[in-house]
Amino acid sequence: MKKIITESESDTEKIGAIFAKNLPDGTVVALHGELGVGKTAFVRGMALGLGIECRVTSPTFTIVNEYVGERILIHFDMYRIHNSDELFDIGWEDYLRRNAICVVEWSENVPGAFDGDEIKIFFKRMSDNERLIAIMEKGEQC
């Protein structure tokens, strides 16, 4: 498990950009962490790392946002989803078949949606500005 401490929102975005730059298409990234720990900032960075220049916002109310640039990033927010059945109802499997990078905020709300092949990233607030980001690669155990 790789652990990184960031000291600002822009640091978190930079780490997201570095992380995403060489991700293979079709990768699923499951984000874990409480409200306000930097998950959306990390996704903004991922978009930049994937060559996407549009504005990235949390899809809390829309559930999913799609960003297209040099590559495709599909951004899910499961905050308002109560179980994996609801995710499958909105076409989760169809999104996966598109071979885009899929990143899921609040993935802990839909544990049955993942097949164990996802990258898990855990965010923890260390102070007002510092965040601990722990990246667990595919197949890696805690």
Side-chain angles (χ1 to χ4, degrees):
M1 180 181 304
K2 183 176 186 176
K3 295 181 180 181
I4 302 155
I5 293 182
T6 61
E7 296 180 353
S8 67
E9 188 172 327
S10 64
D11 279 356
T12 300
E13 289 177 6
K14 288 176 191 170
I15 295 302
I18 292 166
F19 166 78
K21 195 163 192 75
N22 296 311
L23 278 180
D25 290 338
T27 299
V28 175
V29 181
L31 306 182
H32 299 261
E34 64 187 30
L35 193 64
V37 292
K39 296 183 299 287
T40 301
F42 188 86
V43 176
R44 279 195 306 268
M46 286 181 67
L48 290 172
L50 294 170
I52 299 167
E53 296 180 10
C54 63
R55 183 170 178 252
V56 172
T57 60
S58 179
T60 300
F61 295 101
T62 59
I63 310 297
V64 62
N65 287 339
E66 186 172 329
Y67 308 108
V68 179
E70 294 173 22
R71 298 175 62 198
I72 299 172
L73 176 66
I74 303 174
H75 181 194
F76 296 86
D77 186 319
M78 299 296 110
Y79 186 75
R80 299 191 183 292
I81 298 289
H82 300 100
N83 57 54
S84 56
D85 289 340
E86 290 181 28
L87 180 57
F88 284 97
D89 287 346
I90 65 166
W92 171 245
E93 292 169 313
D94 295 329
Y95 285 108
L96 294 178
R97 281 192 281 275
R98 294 186 50 205
N99 206 34
I101 305 292
C102 292
V103 61
V104 183
E105 293 191 44
W106 296 97
S107 61
E108 55 269 34
N109 288 355
V110 291
F114 303 103
D115 61 8
D117 199 31
E118 73 279 1
I119 296 172
K120 297 176 185 173
I121 304 179
F122 300 88
F123 294 79
K124 182 177 180 183
R125 182 185 324 271
M126 304 300 288
S127 70
D128 285 346
N129 295 319
E130 289 184 323
R131 302 294 186 261
L132 171 65
I133 301 172
I135 301 171
M136 185 182 301
E137 295 294 333
K138 294 179 184 183
E140 189 177 356
Q141 299 296 317
C142 289

